[in-house]
Amino acid sequence: MQRIIDRFHGKMTVLIMCAVLLAGLLAGCGARAGSSGELDASGAGGNNAAAGQGGASNGQEGAGGAAAGEGGAKSGAGAASYPLTIKHAKGETVIREKPKSVAITYFPYADHLLAIGEMPEKLGVVGLSSLKNFPVYDPFTKDGRIIDLGNTANLEKVLEMSPDVIIAWEDDDKIYEQLAKIADTIVIPSSENWQDTITQVAAVMGREDAAQVYIDRYNAKLQEVAAAMEKSGEKGKTALFMMTWGKGFSYYGGKRMEPYYKDMGFKPFDSLGDWGEISLEGVSELNPDYIFVGEDFTNSAEMTLKELEANPVWNSLNAVKNKKLFVVDTEIVGPLAMGQSKGLELIGEIMGEGK
């Protein structure tokens, strides 16, 4: 699990999103984003979450996730016929019939299946404890139907669940031969952009069509939100996505944040990289128009959001003074299909999309 942690907060890829945010209200200066509002593969959106000053929310917890699990992807329309030849990082693998038991060693790939409504009869996930931290997956994780395969791949647990197929990632190279002896193993390299991987994961279940529908619906929604930002005059406003970390904050940019910057229209800060750490003084120098912030899930940050409420530097920020500070759940800034869809709903609500 340490390797995953390093990728998600060193390289900022996976586990920076893997914990529950301490997403209480910022009294007098912030709001909490709701936890639903995902797109399912049939194109139906989940409940929007109100994101505004004072922390009001009108979405039912997990409703969007449930929609994803019960969406059009299970209808089978357009599904591929088996046997299927899957090309992947280790070559080609022939899958004789649709898998009923699936083991996943990289939890964002479980997100991809759930997003398109594919819940196998038996699903095992490495890093399930991480997935459980995100409210968007509550409809799938709260009832105990997903098998916990450990924080790192536990070969005994994988063998015990007797999977028909294993969906792995590049970090499993060292145990690939062992996994392949248990079941057909498909290795899909991870990406900062979920659209690079969701179709590959869906192909194992014969549902590339559903993945493409999800992508198309997401991109259509993205255009709607971008139009709402332009209409509201917020396009071009600066925004900073960050969480409390150490003595200051960690921030997020790069490929995974392109939907918020390049596509929606928030203006990034050229002085910042793909990810990194920044002090409160550094945030003050940038003085963004919008701040989306989560509290440190490791509980190791030396300052908390509660403490910041009384900090004069913090309270002098434009985003705080203008009530453009939003406390969010971390899944919206990671390489997760349902998390990114949730981010679209959040920004759409803030911008008054459709009004």
Side-chain angles (χ1 to χ4, degrees):
M1 195 57 165
Q2 183 59 44
R3 178 66 184 276
I4 299 179
I5 293 174
D6 291 341
R7 287 188 65 110
F8 219 133
H9 190 274
K11 191 184 171 192
M12 297 291 173
T13 8
V14 183
L15 268 191
I16 199 75
M17 312 174 324
C18 80
V20 181
L21 286 176
L22 304 179
L25 298 177
L26 280 179
C29 64
R32 185 185 189 280
S35 58
S36 58
E38 302 69 52
L39 302 177
D40 65 42
S42 65
N47 291 334
N48 290 343
Q53 189 66 19
S57 174
N58 64 3
Q60 291 183 348
E61 185 79 12
E70 299 166 2
K74 285 214 169 185
S75 67
S81 300
Y82 290 84
L84 293 175
T85 299
I86 305 297
K87 295 181 179 181
H88 58 101
K90 289 294 185 178
E92 294 186 356
T93 298
V94 177
I95 300 179
R96 300 297 174 184
E97 58 185 6
K98 184 167 183 175
K100 295 180 180 179
S101 176
V102 179
I104 293 177
T105 65
Y106 177 60
F107 74 83
Y109 294 166
D111 156 88
H112 295 358
L113 289 188
L114 299 177
I116 64 171
E118 282 291 333
M119 170 60 85
E121 292 181 12
K122 188 185 293 185
L123 176 64
V125 178
V126 173
L128 177 61
S129 59
S130 300
L131 203 65
K132 285 181 176 180
N133 285 323
F134 306 140
V136 74
Y137 304 110
D138 283 354
F140 310 103
T141 60
K142 291 295 186 182
D143 59 7
R145 55 180 158 164
I146 300 178
I147 300 169
D148 188 349
L149 298 180
N151 290 331
T152 58
N154 185 312
L155 293 172
E156 290 185 2
K157 289 184 178 180
V158 175
L159 179 62
E160 184 180 345
M161 74 167 285
S162 188
D164 299 322
V165 68
I166 300 169
I167 303 176
W169 64 317
E170 68 273 17
D171 270 25
D172 293 317
D173 186 67
K174 58 187 176 296
I175 59 170
Y176 172 75
E177 295 299 331
Q178 294 161 285
L179 291 172
K181 289 178 182 178
I182 297 174
D184 290 331
T185 300
I186 309 300
V187 180
I188 301 172
S190 60
S191 172
E192 290 283 275
N193 183 354
W194 61 269
Q195 294 194 27
D196 294 338
T197 53
I198 190 171
T199 302
Q200 298 174 70
V201 173
V204 178
M205 307 300 291
R207 295 317 314 272
E208 289 177 277
D209 62 315
Q212 190 58 54
V213 168
Y214 195 95
I215 290 171
D216 291 343
R217 296 291 183 178
Y218 174 89
N219 289 334
K221 177 72 173 179
L222 188 58
Q223 292 178 12
E224 291 177 8
V225 175
M229 284 188 63
E230 187 161 16
K231 182 179 179 180
S232 67
E234 299 302 284
K235 183 176 181 179
K237 296 291 182 67
T238 56
L240 189 61
F241 294 81
M242 62 185 191
M243 68 181 290
T244 53
W245 186 271
K247 295 181 179 181
F249 307 89
S250 58
Y251 66 83
Y252 311 92
K255 189 175 183 181
R256 75 165 65 173
M257 302 304 293
E258 282 185 359
Y260 300 102
Y261 291 119
K262 180 180 177 182
D263 299 314
M264 286 186 196
F266 281 124
K267 183 179 179 180
F269 293 96
D270 295 335
S271 60
L272 300 182
D274 290 350
W275 62 269
E277 295 187 17
I278 188 170
S279 66
L280 177 57
E281 290 70 23
V283 175
S284 180
E285 290 178 8
L286 297 176
N287 204 10
D289 298 309
Y290 281 84
I291 293 177
F292 300 87
V293 63
E295 197 166 1
D296 170 30
F297 64 85
T298 69
N299 294 317
S300 62
E302 295 186 18
M303 63 178 172
T304 65
L305 292 177
K306 183 67 177 176
E307 292 169 339
L308 285 169
E309 292 176 22
N311 188 298
V313 176
W314 180 256
N315 287 312
S316 71
L317 297 174
N318 287 337
V320 176
K321 292 189 297 183
N322 297 327
K323 299 183 180 180
K324 302 296 185 182
L325 168 68
F326 300 91
V327 179
V328 299
D329 294 315
T330 20
E331 60 259 44
I332 80 165
V333 297
L336 300 168
M338 292 174 67
Q340 289 281 345
S341 295
K342 177 177 177 177
L344 287 185
E345 296 291 344
L346 165 64
I347 304 300
E349 280 291 311
I350 292 172
M351 299 301 159
E353 176 202 355
K355 297 179 180 178

